[in-house]
Amino acid sequence: MRKFWIVGVMLLISIACNKDRYNPIPNISFYGTINLELPQYNYTSFVVKYAGNVKLGHNGVVVLKLSNSNYDISAFDLMCPHEHDVPGYFYTELETNGDVEVTCPHCGSVFSLASGNPIEGPAQYGLRQYQTNLNGNYLTISN
């Protein structure tokens, strides 16, 4: 019985140590708020690099706003999960405000902003998603 207990604990530890296994983008902490009434945020999707003096994500986040509801707003890191370990990093790009996909110009991976999942290219992992909270016209993005 003790042998099964030890094996079980070791299994749990190995799983806990690999919590970012399904998202290779390094985890960072931040907390920023933007005013959605500003004209640069009056699109279905847009990129935000800073909220005041707070850097969002690794080099900005892309926001998909389907409606002014907490349930219809998503924010994803711009770092490409396929190119995350290349020196200098590579970031996905939003072609035009309002697009529903971002593309990595280096590897060619295309990601859906509805889920963050890759839909084309060599990337096997999705974009890192961040928490969003809408309070009136103010959107808070955090990790």
Side-chain angles (χ1 to χ4, degrees):
M1 182 71 172
R2 184 173 183 201
K3 185 177 183 180
F4 291 113
W5 175 254
I6 292 172
V7 170
V9 169
M10 290 175 60
L11 180 63
L12 285 175
I13 290 171
S14 70
I15 291 171
C17 291
N18 290 325
K19 68 180 181 179
D20 282 345
R21 186 171 119 193
Y22 295 109
N23 197 321
I25 297 173
N27 197 14
I28 59 171
S29 295
F30 64 88
Y31 184 92
T33 301
I34 60 171
N35 182 350
L36 293 177
E37 287 188 338
L38 296 174
Q40 64 265 36
Y41 307 132
N42 194 19
Y43 299 94
T44 303
S45 63
F46 50 87
V47 171
V48 184
K49 293 201 176 197
Y50 288 89
N53 293 331
V54 177
K55 184 176 180 182
L56 302 180
H58 287 275
N59 192 35
V61 298
V62 60
V63 175
L64 177 65
K65 180 180 68 162
L66 296 176
S67 72
N68 286 337
S69 152
N70 272 329
Y71 301 105
D72 291 332
I73 299 178
S74 302
F76 297 96
D77 201 293
L78 288 172
M79 183 182 284
C80 178
H82 182 70
E83 302 291 345
H84 76 282
D85 58 355
V86 175
Y89 300 115
F90 289 92
Y91 296 94
T92 59
E93 296 175 352
L94 185 66
E95 296 283 326
T96 307
N97 285 333
D99 281 353
V100 294
E101 297 174 349
V102 291
T103 304
C104 176
H106 188 258
C107 73
S109 294
V110 179
F111 301 88
S112 164
L113 291 181
S115 64
N117 291 330
I119 53 177
E120 185 177 312
Q124 296 180 351
Y125 302 101
L127 300 171
R128 179 175 286 282
Q129 186 169 11
Y130 296 123
Q131 297 174 13
T132 60
N133 185 35
L134 186 65
N135 187 3
N137 290 317
Y138 292 90
L139 175 64
T140 300
I141 304 168
S142 63
N143 189 27

